[in-house]
Amino acid sequence: MCDDLSVVELMGRAGDGDREAWNRLVDRYISLVWAIARGYDLRRPDIDDVSQEVWLSLLRHLPLRDPAALPGWLTTTTHRECRRVVDTTRRRADLERSSAPAPAADEASALVEELTTAERRIALRAAFARLPEPCRLLLALLMQDPPPRYTEIAERLGTSVGSVGPHRARCLERLRRLLDRPAVPGRSPGRAGSAV
């Protein structure tokens, strides 16, 4: 049985591939590794990773030059691994913070977008009100959901079906021009009698 063997004897047997000796070493010193890792306020998955890395490192370094120095070796290796995990976690958090837009910037951006949309709607309504009556009627009919057929629009406007498309194009162009220039104060919207 390996229970009564010294650290030096356990290290020698573990180095020779004795699985039971290896398990006894781990059982004897696992609490040391865990106590050090808990001192770094690591999360449980990180503590598990640290522990695994420490034991893998010991396995790679067997046999140690001074097997009696195992507790010191485990202490140093555990501290080194914990600092690596802390540094990695900190860098990851810093990267996430730097790549995420600031909440205030997001809110300001959303507010600017809402204001811009509202301004566009106001400008569109003002430009629409400045269109001649026939254009307002034609565009209002075309904006219905679903829009009526051209035959219905022609009947409502008292025009031919073939003229609805060209009238629509002229009215939209007129609306674009009105949106490009501000309203002149004092001028009444949509002068009566203006041709489409």
Side-chain angles (χ1 to χ4, degrees):
M1 216 48 196
C2 293
D3 289 342
D4 53 354
L5 294 177
S6 70
V7 174
V8 174
E9 291 170 315
L10 286 173
M11 289 286 289
R13 288 186 179 198
D16 291 335
D18 184 334
R19 189 175 196 77
E20 188 180 346
W22 173 259
N23 290 338
R24 289 303 305 147
L25 276 173
V26 172
D27 288 345
R28 193 176 288 184
Y29 292 103
I30 189 75
S31 58
L32 171 66
V33 172
W34 273 71
I36 293 168
R38 279 196 300 267
Y40 282 84
D41 287 331
L42 298 177
R43 298 173 306 128
R44 175 63 190 262
D46 290 332
I47 293 174
D48 289 339
D49 290 346
V50 164
S51 179
Q52 181 179 354
E53 199 54 46
V54 167
W55 295 112
L56 285 172
S57 183
L58 176 60
L59 195 56
R60 286 190 297 266
H61 287 88
L62 283 178
L64 293 180
R65 275 183 278 172
D66 181 8
L70 177 63
W73 187 94
L74 287 171
T75 299
T76 301
T77 304
T78 303
H79 280 292
R80 187 179 302 129
E81 191 58 30
C82 287
R83 284 191 296 271
R84 186 192 65 76
V85 169
V86 167
D87 290 345
T88 300
T89 303
R90 187 177 301 131
R91 278 193 303 272
R92 189 179 306 127
D94 290 345
L95 183 62
E96 287 171 3
R97 271 195 302 274
S98 68
S99 65
D106 283 350
E107 291 171 16
S109 177
L111 181 60
V112 166
E113 191 174 323
E114 283 180 41
L115 288 173
T116 303
T117 301
E119 286 175 353
R120 284 184 185 143
R121 285 184 182 141
I122 290 168
L124 182 60
R125 285 188 190 116
F128 187 82
R130 290 169 35 213
L131 285 173
E133 180 65 31
C135 278
R136 287 199 307 263
L137 180 58
L138 172 62
L139 294 179
L141 288 169
L142 289 169
M143 286 188 293
Q144 290 178 2
D145 188 24
R149 296 181 181 182
Y150 272 23
T151 53
E152 296 172 47
I153 294 173
E155 189 177 307
R156 294 269 312 263
L157 295 177
T159 187
S160 68
V161 174
S163 66
V164 172
H167 285 183
R168 175 185 156 273
R170 284 193 295 275
C171 290
L172 287 174
E173 180 55 36
R174 198 170 214 169
L175 182 61
R176 277 188 212 97
R177 284 196 311 266
L178 288 170
L179 284 169
D180 288 342
R181 59 185 159 93
V184 178
R187 183 185 292 175
S188 60
R191 294 185 307 266
S194 294
V196 179

